[in-house]
Amino acid sequence: MSVKYASLASEIISLVGGPENIRSAYHCQTRLRFELRDEAKVRTAELNDTEGVATTRSVGGVFQVVIGTHVKDVFDEVDRELRNAEASGGAAPSVEAEPVSQRKNPLTVVINFVAGTFQPLIPALSGAGMIMALLAVLVVTDVITQDSQTYQVLSFFANAVFYFLPIFVAIGAADKLKTNRTLAGVVAAMMLHPKWTEMVAAGHSVHLFGLIPLPLTTYGSTVIPIMLIVFVQSYVERWLNRVIHDSVKLVFVPMITFLVMGTLAMTLLGPIGTFLGGHLAAFFTFLTENAPWAPAVIVGALLPVMVMFGIHNAVAPLGVAQLAQVGYDSIFGPGCLCSNIAQSVATFTVAVRTKEAKLRQIATAGGITALMGITEPALYGVALPKRYPLIAAMAGGGAGGLYAGLTMTRRFAVGTSGIPAIFLYIGDNTMRYFVNILIALAISAVVSGIVAFLLSFRFERTVAVKTAVTDTELGTGLTVDADRPVVASAADGSAVSAAPAASATATATAVRTDRALITAPVQGDVIALDQVPDAAFASGVMGPGVGVEPVNGAIVAPVSGTVVAAVESGHAFGILTDDGVEVLVHVGVDTVQMKGAGFTDPVPQGARVTAGQRLVQADLRAIRSAGHPATVILVVTNAADQESVTITAEGAVLAGEPVLTVTR
């Protein structure tokens, strides 16, 4: 048990709607994955604010909670709590009462089915792949020969999982489809039975009852036939359990399942799956001969986007299928490895260039895990919030993927997609592919590093701000007290004060301009005003502006000026600059109903504030728990008196970054 994650697990279950809203739960390398009855019950904003949760995603009907590399420990506690709920009678009805396939479109069903089937196989495939890599190293270094008994033994250690792959795929597919995994495994074992292999090798026609022909096909290392078989078996078994009396179900359901599915597998479904697999192999061959660069470039450049939307779960099995069909993978592996290394280097570049201590820690840790093949911490913790590392990673991954594709680089086993995976590219008694992947990774690293470094000059900003310069840029025309600290928001939401520029009595007069910059009142993601969940603001009747979906509750002044309006509840402030620009900061929607709860130390009406100075500390969790959106709304209320108001930012911003420009 992972007791220290019990509280986190309990909170996650509660925020996704409770045990009764969860159809099934499983995990991959970094994420908890939930199939939910009603996604509308998920309190997404609160989940994203929960300590221990990196972010959330809803892809293809599966709600994902990104945790990190310790996800299994969290899942153990989630699983324990769900089992306890089921034991106490509080769990939801069986999924069999409403099959997933009846609730989703066909494409979603296929993607979820394939992804859910292969996820449990990753550790076994990775372990076997690394043994194959070790064997390749031992052979090319002349430590052992392929004729030695040591090679033969280690070889079947590694190849066992691939030869018996249909059985493991059957178990994974059965778990995904909520059917009996043991019965599915036995049907797969029938297709691998030595006697059947012997009949196929003999080449003589085989008939069941002297009438039904059985095509002579071997199924070792295949994937598609057994997935098709288990899909059909899930319906057959469900029907049998419904029509056969409970008193004889234990005997007759397995017996009839074996007879029906064994016959269908050997006469119809297996050959159909083999036919489809043959065409898939032909497609792989066509790509290898005519466009070897395409898969590696696409995966190398777009893998971060694929991960965000969960598409990689549907693409990665193509590499496994290619490996099973032709003995190597050039579809997914090379591009994936190039992309991961590019993400690692881009993230390390952020760690070097950023001035934010907290972000530097996150970037350093994320860069290390990406180097080992786990990119979610780097992607969600650094690349997406900062944007430019994502651009750099895609450029580097695409460049390295292009080289890997043009040189027909391939891996000979499935394993991790980090630095240790380079040994998977030793095979065919040559070091050619090993050398090529090293060159491809070097290209990815160099391109990603250079692009990230160059872009950092535009995207990275120094947190400390000089008071006189700041107010000149804001165009407020104010006389600023130099001993009043200017506050900016760091990545972790903490306040970072700039040191006074002079003595407590000194002043610096800003220069009046015809342009005023209005900055973000909180760190978060900028959204268009018409997307704000409040009709009055969204219609623009209150004035032009933007909304910010906050990541913390530190609400700061977007301009320097006088607070001419401050409601008692502390959720809204009107600020008038000395140049006559009226700005409204409204925290949350309908938060007046909270009557001040969740808002701490608001500045009073009549107070003089400097851009970046704290207006109020808002408890985002309290706001959302009360049923209100936490969107922070920023509008210019006297826009009619100005020449124009222009939005100058989009996406993620830090508090204090310009988001609006007012021309007077």
Side-chain angles (χ1 to χ4, degrees):
M1 289 174 56
S2 308
V3 179
K4 71 176 183 176
Y5 295 113
S7 176
L8 175 60
S10 179
E11 188 166 7
I12 290 173
I13 291 173
S14 174
L15 293 176
V16 298
E20 66 278 1
N21 195 39
I22 299 174
R23 291 185 175 278
S24 66
Y26 57 103
H27 73 92
C28 59
Q29 290 175 297
T30 58
R31 311 177 191 193
L32 296 174
R33 297 172 180 266
F34 296 98
E35 289 186 0
L36 304 174
R37 280 180 165 70
D38 184 1
E39 249 185 53
K41 294 182 179 180
V42 178
R43 284 136 67 185
T44 306
E46 290 180 59
L47 259 177
N48 287 329
D49 283 342
T50 300
E51 185 176 355
V53 174
T55 189
T56 59
R57 288 287 184 275
S58 179
V59 181
V62 177
F63 190 80
Q64 306 172 8
V65 181
V66 182
I67 300 295
T69 54
H70 58 287
V71 66
K72 185 181 183 305
D73 296 327
V74 179
F75 175 78
D76 288 343
E77 288 303 309
V78 169
D79 185 55
R80 182 178 65 83
E81 183 161 331
L82 292 179
R83 290 179 185 276
N84 289 341
E86 183 178 9
S88 63
S94 170
V95 178
E96 293 181 357
E98 188 181 357
V100 172
S101 58
Q102 293 181 9
R103 295 181 288 111
K104 302 173 183 174
N105 64 64
L107 180 60
T108 298
V109 171
V110 172
I111 291 176
N112 286 344
F113 178 41
V114 173
T117 296
F118 278 91
Q119 283 291 347
L121 303 181
I122 291 176
L125 294 173
S126 297
M130 294 310 295
I131 293 178
M132 294 176 70
L134 174 63
L135 266 178
V137 172
L138 293 176
V139 170
V140 298
T141 55
D142 293 326
V143 175
I144 62 174
T145 65
Q146 292 184 335
D147 297 328
S148 67
Q149 291 182 335
T150 299
Y151 180 91
Q152 301 299 326
V153 172
L154 293 179
S155 181
F156 72 68
F157 282 4
N159 290 326
V161 67
F162 293 98
Y163 181 80
F164 294 104
L165 190 60
I167 295 177
F168 303 118
V169 170
I171 293 172
D175 287 345
K176 180 63 180 174
L177 295 172
K178 306 301 178 184
T179 192
N180 191 300
R181 64 196 325 240
T182 303
L183 299 187
V186 171
V187 172
M190 296 175 187
M191 303 166 67
L192 300 175
H193 198 283
K195 189 62 179 179
W196 174 248
T197 304
E198 182 183 317
M199 289 180 172
V200 174
H204 303 302
S205 60
V206 179
H207 292 76
L208 193 60
F209 299 112
L211 298 173
I212 306 174
L214 275 60
L216 300 178
T217 304
T218 57
Y219 299 101
S221 301
T222 59
V223 173
I224 296 179
I226 194 60
M227 294 180 71
L228 182 61
I229 290 165
V230 175
F231 180 78
V232 173
Q233 181 178 327
S234 67
Y235 288 93
V236 171
E237 186 183 334
R238 190 174 296 128
W239 179 78
L240 290 173
N241 278 314
R242 190 165 57 247
V243 301
I244 295 178
H245 195 274
D246 289 346
S247 61
V248 293
K249 188 178 294 184
L250 180 64
V251 175
F252 285 102
V253 169
M255 183 190 78
I256 298 175
T257 298
F258 290 158
L259 289 174
V260 172
M261 293 311 305
T263 301
L264 286 175
M266 305 300 267
T267 60
L268 182 64
L269 300 178
I272 289 176
T274 301
F275 175 79
L276 295 175
H279 279 71
L280 187 61
F283 171 70
F284 293 148
T285 302
F286 173 82
L287 280 181
T288 301
E289 294 176 352
N290 297 279
W293 54 269
V297 170
I298 293 171
V299 175
L302 300 182
L303 184 62
V305 179
M306 294 180 183
V307 170
M308 281 188 281
F309 292 98
I311 302 173
H312 69 299
N313 289 317
V315 179
L318 292 177
V320 178
Q322 184 188 23
L323 184 66
Q325 293 285 337
V326 299
Y328 60 81
D329 164 30
S330 61
I331 296 292
F332 187 75
C336 178
L337 184 54
C338 288
S339 175
N340 289 351
I341 299 307
Q343 286 193 68
S344 175
V345 172
T347 305
F348 279 132
T349 303
V350 174
V352 172
R353 292 287 297 147
T354 185
K355 304 298 183 181
E356 304 167 30
K358 181 67 173 179
L359 180 60
R360 185 180 298 111
Q361 295 174 8
I362 295 173
T364 301
I368 294 172
T369 57
L371 204 60
M372 294 297 107
I374 306 297
T375 58
E376 277 84 352
L379 178 61
Y380 294 118
V382 180
L384 288 180
K386 299 296 287 186
R387 289 175 289 178
Y388 78 87
L390 178 62
I391 298 171
M394 293 174 69
L402 177 61
Y403 178 84
L406 291 176
T407 55
M408 298 185 182
T409 302
R410 57 190 64 166
R411 63 175 177 175
F412 298 91
V414 177
T416 177
S417 292
I419 284 296
I422 59 175
F423 298 107
L424 301 178
Y425 293 79
I426 302 176
D428 280 355
N429 296 320
T430 177
M431 296 292 287
R432 167 189 168 190
Y433 305 110
F434 178 74
V435 172
N436 282 336
I437 195 62
L438 291 180
I439 296 174
L441 296 184
I443 293 173
S444 294
V446 170
V447 172
S448 179
I450 291 175
V451 172
F453 184 76
L454 293 177
L455 290 178
S456 69
F457 287 97
R458 174 183 176 184
F459 286 88
E460 289 293 342
R461 302 177 187 275
T462 304
V463 176
V465 183
K466 294 182 180 179
T467 55
V469 175
T470 297
D471 285 300
T472 300
E473 290 177 348
L474 290 175
T476 57
L478 297 179
T479 299
V480 183
D481 291 338
D483 63 342
R484 171 173 287 170
V486 177
V487 182
S489 175
D492 61 351
S494 60
V496 182
S497 299
S503 66
T505 58
T507 60
T509 303
V511 179
R512 184 181 298 273
T513 70
D514 293 328
R515 186 172 65 96
L517 300 181
I518 301 176
T519 63
V522 69
Q523 180 183 351
D525 293 319
V526 174
I527 63 172
L529 194 62
D530 60 6
Q531 296 179 20
V532 169
D534 182 286
F537 285 107
S539 67
V541 68
M542 301 293 292
V546 295
V548 181
E549 296 295 349
V551 299
N552 60 57
I555 312 300
V556 301
V559 292
S560 297
T562 302
V563 179
V564 294
V567 295
E568 292 183 3
S569 57
H571 74 282
F573 305 86
I575 304 174
L576 177 64
T577 73
D578 285 4
D579 284 334
V581 179
E582 296 175 1
V583 179
L584 172 65
V585 178
H586 194 287
V587 184
V589 175
D590 293 330
T591 41
V592 65
Q593 299 175 12
M594 298 178 67
K595 299 180 179 179
F599 296 92
T600 306
D601 297 326
V603 298
Q605 184 171 326
R608 186 79 172 176
V609 293
T610 303
Q613 181 178 332
R614 184 73 59 88
L615 292 177
V616 68
Q617 180 66 39
D619 187 338
L620 301 185
R621 182 169 298 179
I623 294 172
R624 289 161 179 156
S625 296
H628 305 296
T631 310
V632 178
I633 304 161
L634 177 68
V635 297
V636 178
T637 54
N638 66 339
D641 299 331
Q642 316 301 327
E643 181 177 326
S644 66
V645 178
T646 306
I647 299 173
T648 57
E650 61 180 4
V653 294
L654 296 176
E657 288 188 351
V659 292
L660 297 173
T661 298
V662 177
T663 303
R664 296 186 294 278

